[in-house]
Amino acid sequence: MNLNELTIKTASAGLRKKEFSAVELTEACLAKIKKRNKTLNAFITVAEDEALADATAADKKINNNSNLLAGIPFGVKDAICVAGMRATGAAKILDNYTAPYEATVIKKIRSAGGIIIGKNNCDAFGHGASNENSMYGPVRNPVDETKVAGGSSGGSAAAVADHECIYAVAEDTGGSIRQPASFCGVAGLRPSYGRNSRYGIMPMASSLDTVGPMAKTVEDLALIMEVIAGHDPKDATTVTDAVPAYTEELEKSVKGMTVGVPVEYFNVKGIDPEVEKIIDAKIDALKKLGCKIVSVSLPHTKYAIAAYYILVPSEDSSNLGRLDGVRYGVRAKTKNLFDLYAESRAAGFPEEVKRRILIGTYALSAGYYDAYYKKAQKVRTLIKRDFDEVFKKVDALITPTSPFPAFGLGEKAGDPLALYLSDIFVSPAAVAGVPALSVPAGVTKAGLPVGAQLIGPRMGESVILRLGHHLEINQ
Ligand code: GLN
């Protein structure tokens, strides 16, 4: 096995026993990136020199008491800031931007000895479900290069699946970690809103944005969460609850747990029967592990996409206002101020970002605020209540992550509504602020990965990680 194919768990064991060095592990990942980046396009920036310098430093320090992330190379979504490193958010308006400060989650991993190998491609500022909205080109799916990697964290998912890094840190506003994880066959966790600090993340929709890990196993996700979760004085939305020992929780039995199967996520129009079959098999697996399976209903699920695509563009239009060619990034050369704004933004944003700003500005305008934004907020409360009610009866929910496996590059590119609808199973948990995990569940006849989504109650990451881990080790 090549070193870059190891998991965090196995790589850290090898590092401690000095079977290989952090430099060798980093070199193995860099070699894979060099070989594959032209085709897959999973990285916008490769931090070769920084990574090798950090790995050399890590080798001097690693001992049996080191954190398990010490000496392990990881990728960072390009919408997350790393001090001194280029951060484009996959939009040309930030083509020349170097982050002057560091996201808290990244700072935490680096203090544990983690090694940043580069910045992963994504849909511009997180807008998309196929990674085709990147101004640095789309990401191809390593399993089938004619297919998309998913989005918006498609670069992170492809890089992990292709063993170009051991794991990745990404962002999920409405599915961006879970859907690409499902398309590429890796594990990805969207934590509860407020569990992990978003300080240093380029904001998209502030009331939904979360930061989470993507890795080869659920066990690795738990390891990463133990390092990155927790209160941050720099992010007032983070909770002060203690961070559980996620890795210990994983080992506990799932026998006697109650798992709900929401009727609204099955037998719906547009769901691929192969996906449904694969998820059904996982429901059976949970039964065999001693879980009680019950049918439940989340009646407002059908409104989640509509509410999401009002709330997100509205918050987007406000957050993206800071990118105007004046304060940072690329500035168009013009004769007057109006043209400076217009031309900088016209050239610096892809179509989808412009579409969101226009929709959001409209939804927030004085005449329409009550009809759209306020209404969407009310619907959001109803969706949240559905989850509150159902979690009185069950420990977790299981659903497909996506109604279909990875689709062809270009297949939905001209149809924004079709892309929005692909978020149908991932947006409800995001709107409600509850945690959700995508775990590899199987492959279709064509060999394309399918993910199962486990949704938990607020701050219930331990529960879904435990269920996901047991599904993974009892294949
Ligand atoms: N597909 C969603 C969107 O385009 C995902 C966004 C995200 O989670 N960053 O809004």
Side-chain angles (χ1 to χ4, degrees), residues 77 126-129 152 171-176 204 308-309 356 423:
K77 185 172 182 173
H127 298 76
S152 65
E171 167 273 341
D172 187 310
T173 299
S176 282
M204 180 176 158
Y308 176 90
Y309 279 98
R356 303 265 178 131
D423 295 337

Side-chain angles (χ1 to χ4, degrees), residues 458-474:
R458 212 172 130 65
M459 300 299 146
E461 285 80 5
S462 306
V463 175
I464 51 176
L465 288 169
R466 193 198 319 178
L467 282 164
H469 177 60
H470 283 268
L471 278 180
E472 175 174 86
I473 57 176
N474 293 287

Side-chain angles (χ1 to χ4, degrees), residues 174-381:
S176 282
I177 287 180
R178 293 161 286 155
Q179 188 253 26
S182 163
F183 279 14
C184 293
V186 300
L189 173 73
R190 171 199 169 87
S192 311
Y193 186 79
R195 179 72 285 184
N196 295 350
S197 165
R198 289 107 36 92
Y199 176 77
I201 314 302
M202 294 178 193
M204 180 176 158
S206 308
S207 75
L208 292 103
D209 296 343
T210 61
V211 182
M214 302 179 78
K216 299 174 193 178
T217 63
V218 174
E219 188 175 35
D220 278 2
L221 295 180
L223 276 167
I224 304 162
M225 279 298 286
E226 279 178 6
V227 174
I228 64 177
H231 180 248
D232 178 10
K234 288 184 175 146
D235 177 354
T237 63
T238 50
V239 297
T240 49
D241 306 26
V243 177
Y246 296 113
T247 48
E248 278 170 35
E249 296 284 324
L250 282 187
E251 305 304 331
K252 293 186 184 158
S253 162
V254 296
K255 208 167 160 195
M257 283 173 100
T258 308
V259 180
V261 180
V263 288
E264 289 80 5
Y265 287 67
F266 293 83
N267 269 319
V268 291
K269 205 174 134 227
I271 185 168
D272 181 332
E274 271 201 89
V275 168
E276 211 161 292
K277 226 172 118 194
I278 290 169
I279 305 304
D280 282 344
K282 289 292 143 184
I283 297 174
D284 283 343
L286 288 176
K287 254 188 226 159
K288 285 203 191 93
L289 290 168
C291 295
K292 190 173 160 217
I293 306 293
V294 295
S295 174
V296 295
S297 173
L298 297 156
H300 297 95
T301 302
K302 56 178 178 291
Y303 304 118
I305 290 280
Y308 176 90
Y309 279 98
I310 292 292
L311 297 172
V312 171
S314 300
E315 296 184 22
D316 259 342
S317 67
S318 159
N319 275 328
L320 292 167
R322 77 189 72 196
L323 297 164
D324 55 6
V326 175
R327 282 167 273 202
Y328 11 51
V330 180
R331 182 179 300 175
K333 288 190 180 54
T334 55
K335 293 211 177 68
N336 65 55
L337 186 64
F338 181 84
D339 288 351
L340 186 150
Y341 288 133
E343 288 178 29
S344 302
R345 305 183 107 205
F349 290 148
E351 290 309 300
E352 182 58 26
V353 171
K354 293 176 193 163
R355 186 176 297 118
R356 303 265 178 131
I357 296 173
L358 289 174
I359 297 173
T361 308
Y362 183 82
L364 290 179
S365 59
Y368 293 104
Y369 181 90
D370 285 355
Y372 295 110
Y373 189 73
K374 205 167 158 196
K375 181 96 151 259
Q377 287 290 29
K378 289 183 178 168
V379 174
R380 181 179 201 174
T381 304

Side-chain angles (χ1 to χ4, degrees), residues 51-101:
L52 288 172
D54 287 353
T56 309
D59 276 329
K60 295 200 185 101
K61 283 194 233 150
I62 291 173
N63 60 40
N64 280 338
N65 298 322
S66 306
N67 187 281
L68 293 187
L69 299 189
I72 312 283
F74 69 106
V76 181
K77 185 172 182 173
D78 211 22
I80 301 178
C81 292
V82 176
M85 217 175 262
R86 185 179 180 218
T88 68
K92 292 277 171 158
I93 200 159
L94 290 184
D95 191 55
N96 60 0
Y97 179 67
T98 299
Y101 65 112

